[in-house]
Amino acid sequence: MPSIGITSTDIAEPSNSTTEEFTTDTSLEVATIRDKTGVTKHVQKLGYSTTNFTRRGRGAGDLSGVTAGAISEGTAKILSVSNTQTADDFPSYEISAVQKDDL
């Protein structure tokens, strides 16, 4: 089954919307070896990092920039898009994505 993703290193702002917050969180993936007491004795990086993106704002979170296909290294994969509307406020959106990069 093909993955869904965008072809950039972040999440593009949806058209006809305004971004209020954009966050990224990057972590280095590691493997550890612990002794029988639980003390870490060896740590080795696994060769890739993971970046989580979140974009929140006002307007509708559309998927016009999303394409189907395999996700390659350096391409963000959208995990979720949510749109919210209340009677007394503007519509809002949140888009979350993840990206893996070789080191």
Side-chain angles (χ1 to χ4, degrees):
M1 183 165 162
S3 299
I4 301 295
I6 58 176
T7 56
S8 69
T9 57
D10 66 352
I11 307 167
E13 182 177 74
S15 59
N16 299 320
S17 67
T18 301
T19 297
E20 295 179 320
E21 179 182 356
F22 182 78
T23 59
T24 62
D25 177 32
T26 303
S27 62
L28 178 65
E29 303 296 325
V30 296
T32 60
I33 298 174
R34 294 187 171 99
D35 66 12
K36 62 183 174 184
T37 62
V39 175
T40 300
K41 295 295 185 176
H42 182 72
V43 177
Q44 179 176 339
K45 66 180 180 180
L46 294 179
Y48 61 92
S49 65
T50 301
T51 303
N52 293 300
F53 301 96
T54 303
R55 182 181 293 274
R56 293 180 185 91
R58 300 296 175 154
D62 64 20
L63 297 177
S64 62
V66 178
T67 58
I71 301 300
S72 59
E73 182 267 330
T75 301
K77 177 181 179 183
I78 291 179
L79 301 175
S80 67
V81 176
S82 63
N83 290 299
T84 328
Q85 172 96 38
T86 60
D88 59 349
D89 202 359
F90 292 103
S92 61
Y93 71 89
E94 179 176 316
I95 302 172
S96 299
V98 67
Q99 174 178 323
K100 299 223 182 245
D101 292 303
D102 289 336
L103 299 176

